[in-house]
């Protein structure tokens, strides 16, 4: 049997787990990561691609932002369209210079993994956690398997960064939290295409045929989405039909959508989920294990990074000052930002998705919001502040 011993046992080698490990290393705290999937699988997962200012600043502080700053695309605004009318929200101008950076999550994971391993960090891939034990004592244990061998990790604390389906969320005692869940009546059909972006910044568009989003991945690859029914299938969408629909929904006078070979298609359900408690004893949840937001606001990865920043601060206080206060308040601190992100994600989702017939009461409310954004600097500033991410001190 493989026996591991460390201060903090981390389950999951996504952005949350890897960022936590590097934050702890900076504070001189030991950690070991176990990950259910292979390294190749984890580094190939195409997920989020929008990094808030906070996230970029954290990666700069960890010394893992060289490639991000070189290859990532800093955006100083976003375009919002409604029935073919397009306006721009200038982020930096409205937030004192805070912006976003477009850089794929899989690239973030590659950078973090390389840094962790280069510094001698232990990480076990294809090592599923099978049981969490003694989390309510000072001797927690994580049982796992690796290369056909059973293993136990003895640790002081456990961080479950293993997603919605992971063992961390399942282990949290059901009587210690309340779950909140909303499933929206539509999904996103997303594509990746070998074509230069048709825009310099993201475009969110409401259209009577449904929502569309033009995102970016690089100067040669574009990421685009359209609203579809929950029971739709990618088999119903030929490449030609997708490009035709995107051109209609994103269309505005004087603008042309570039098309190219589509190399990935997938349908993503739109839902919100989170628990109002993210800890029990010495077990702490972070990232998707504790919350999921619809991708409309670009908050998923950024919330995960914020979670582990708070958790790392609490662990540093424990080991350096022998104080448990920050750890005891981990959920309360993290949930302030999570509620804000849930609200903003819901706002962006309900503003730009077709929910009722054109001209209906719901439609008129959506149009009224958009018309207000056009004339109100205060409303535009609210959107900009939430989009780029409020600074950490805003929730202290």
């Amino acid at each position: 049997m493989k026996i591991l011993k460390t201060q903090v046992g981390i389950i999951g080698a996504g952005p949350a787990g890897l960022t936590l490990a590097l934050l702890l290393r900076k504070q001189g705290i030991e950690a070991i990561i176990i990950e259910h999937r292979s390294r190749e699988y984890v580094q190939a997962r195409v997920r989020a691609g929008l990094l808030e200012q906070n996230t970029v600043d954290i990666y700069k502080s960890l010394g893992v932002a060289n490639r991000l700053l070189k290859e990532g695309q800093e955006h100083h605004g976003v375009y919002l369209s409604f029935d073919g009318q397009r306006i721009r929200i200038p982020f930096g101008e409205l937030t004192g210079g805070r912006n976003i950076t477009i850089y794929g999550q899989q690239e973030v994971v590659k950078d973090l993994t390389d840094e962790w391993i280069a510094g001698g960090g232990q990480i076990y891939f294809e090592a599923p956690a099978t049981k969490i034990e003694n989390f309510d004592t000072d001797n927690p244990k994580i049982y796992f398997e690796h290369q056909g061998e059973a293993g136990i990790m003895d640790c002081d604390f456990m961080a479950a960064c293993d997603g919605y389906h992971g063992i961390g969320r399942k282990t949290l005692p059901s009587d210690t939290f309340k779950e909140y869940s909303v499933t929206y009546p539509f999904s996103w059909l997303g594509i990746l295409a070998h074509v230069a972006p048709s825009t310099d910044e993201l475009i969110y568009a409401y259209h009577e045929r449904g929502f569309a989003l033009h995102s970016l991945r690089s100067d040669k690859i574009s990421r685009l989405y359209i609203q579809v029914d929950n029971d739709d299938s990618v088999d119903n969408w030929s490449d030609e039909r997708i490009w035709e629909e995107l051109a209609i929904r994103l269309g505005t006078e004087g603008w042309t959508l570039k098309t190219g070979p589509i190399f990935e298609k997938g349908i993503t359900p739109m839902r919100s989920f989170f628990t109002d408690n993210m800890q029990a004893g010495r077990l702490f949840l972070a990232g998707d294990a504790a919350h999921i937001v619809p991708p409309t606001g670009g908050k998923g990865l950024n919330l995960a990074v914020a979670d582990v920043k708070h958790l790392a601060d609490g662990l540093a206080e424990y080991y350096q000052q022998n104080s448990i206060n920050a750890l005891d308040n981990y959920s309360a601190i993290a949930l302030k930002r999570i509620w804000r992100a849930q609200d903003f994600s819901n706002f962006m989702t309900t503003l730009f998705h077709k929910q009722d017939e054109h001209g209906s009461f719901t439609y008129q409310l959506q149009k009224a919001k958009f018309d207000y954004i056009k004339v109100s600097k205060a409303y535009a500033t609210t959107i900009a502040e939430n989009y780029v991410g409020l600074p950490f001190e805003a929730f202290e």
Side-chain angles (χ1 to χ4, degrees):
M1 177 175 286
K2 187 186 301 291
I3 305 295
L4 305 176
K5 189 170 181 59
T6 190
Q7 290 174 302
V8 182
I10 300 173
I11 308 173
L18 289 161
T19 303
L20 176 60
L22 290 169
L23 287 168
L24 294 176
R25 172 189 284 170
K26 189 176 180 181
Q27 296 289 342
I29 300 168
E30 298 175 358
I32 296 176
I33 306 171
I34 58 172
E35 164 59 47
H36 176 68
R37 301 286 190 172
S38 68
R39 181 175 182 178
E40 294 73 23
Y41 180 92
V42 173
Q43 295 186 171
R45 284 188 296 204
V46 177
R47 293 287 191 273
L50 188 156
L51 307 184
E52 292 179 353
Q53 187 69 59
N54 294 327
T55 302
V56 173
D57 290 346
I58 285 174
Y59 289 150
K60 285 181 181 178
S61 74
L62 291 173
V64 294
N66 290 345
R67 198 160 67 93
L68 186 163
L69 296 175
K70 180 181 179 182
E71 300 177 16
Q73 302 173 2
E74 185 175 71
H75 286 189
H76 298 189
V78 65
Y79 296 108
L80 307 179
S81 294
F82 199 94
D83 286 345
Q85 296 184 47
R86 185 171 298 171
I87 61 174
R88 180 176 181 269
I89 306 291
F91 293 150
E93 179 184 320
L94 297 174
T95 65
R98 295 171 67 79
N99 295 292
I100 63 165
T101 300
I102 301 300
Y103 188 66
Q105 176 173 314
Q106 69 275 24
E107 304 306 322
V108 170
V109 170
K110 290 174 188 175
D111 296 343
L112 299 179
T113 304
D114 289 347
E115 181 70 16
W116 179 246
I117 292 174
Q122 293 186 65
I123 182 167
Y124 295 84
F125 289 100
E126 298 180 86
T130 56
K131 184 172 62 172
I132 291 173
E133 198 173 75
N134 298 343
F135 63 83
D136 54 351
T137 74
D138 59 2
N139 186 32
K141 297 180 184 295
I142 303 171
Y143 292 80
F144 65 98
E145 296 176 356
H146 183 247
Q147 297 180 341
E149 182 182 7
I152 299 176
M153 191 191 315
D154 289 312
C155 46
D156 298 335
F157 298 93
M158 298 179 288
C161 308
D162 52 345
Y164 178 80
H165 298 288
I167 195 169
R169 190 179 72 84
K170 296 174 182 176
T171 301
L172 205 68
S174 60
D175 60 352
T176 65
F177 63 88
K178 181 179 180 180
E179 288 186 351
Y180 299 84
S181 182
V182 175
T183 300
Y184 293 90
F186 39 75
S187 298
W188 277 10
L189 170 61
I191 65 164
L192 280 167
H194 288 296
V195 61
S198 306
T199 178
D200 57 338
E201 294 170 339
L202 279 72
I203 304 171
Y204 286 77
Y206 172 93
H207 192 277
E208 62 179 324
R209 298 168 71 100
F211 166 83
L213 169 63
H214 190 323
S215 185
L216 305 87
R217 280 299 176 268
S218 70
D219 58 358
K220 297 179 181 178
I221 295 178
S222 295
R223 182 74 155 152
L224 301 103
Y225 302 90
I226 52 176
Q227 176 183 346
V228 297
D229 293 337
N230 284 339
D231 59 356
D232 210 336
S233 168
V234 292
D235 296 335
N236 298 327
W237 291 88
S238 65
D239 291 8
E240 182 179 16
R241 184 187 177 197
I242 290 172
W243 287 122
E244 287 177 354
E245 198 66 26
L246 283 165
I248 292 170
R249 298 187 191 188
L250 291 167
T252 192
E253 188 176 351
W255 179 83
T256 303
L257 177 67
K258 300 172 186 175
T259 64
I262 296 174
F263 64 92
E264 182 175 299
K265 299 178 189 177
I267 290 182
T268 302
M270 302 288 286
R271 68 189 183 110
S272 295
F273 164 85
F274 72 103
T275 71
D276 62 1
N277 177 45
M278 301 163 60
Q279 62 194 96
R282 296 196 169 199
L283 168 64
F284 297 85
L285 308 187
D288 286 0
H291 45 73
I292 295 171
V293 291
T296 327
K299 296 301 171 194
L301 181 153
N302 298 292
L303 277 182
V305 171
D307 288 347
V308 297
K309 187 269 184 191
H310 296 309
L311 183 54
D313 287 347
L315 289 165
E317 182 179 291
Y318 172 82
Y319 284 109
Q320 294 167 9
Q321 302 176 34
N322 196 31
S323 170
I324 204 76
N325 182 62
L327 284 177
D328 284 344
N329 288 297
Y330 165 68
S331 292
I333 294 169
L335 280 163
K336 291 179 182 179
R337 181 176 297 274
I338 293 164
W339 268 117
R340 175 91 310 276
Q342 291 284 1
D343 175 59
F344 179 67
S345 298
N346 177 267
F347 168 81
M348 292 292 288
T349 301
T350 55
L351 175 58
F352 287 105
H353 287 78
K354 181 179 180 181
Q355 302 172 69
D356 206 343
E357 291 306 309
H358 206 64
S360 67
F361 180 76
T362 299
Y363 164 81
Q364 296 294 354
L365 291 179
Q366 291 172 286
K367 186 175 186 304
K369 288 187 179 74
F370 181 79
D371 289 342
Y372 187 38
I373 296 167
K374 290 193 295 184
V375 300
S376 172
K377 183 178 180 180
Y379 206 6
T381 300
T382 295
I383 293 172
E385 286 179 344
N386 281 273
Y387 205 96
V388 303
L390 290 158
F392 286 110
E393 54 266 26
F395 296 99
E396 292 177 353

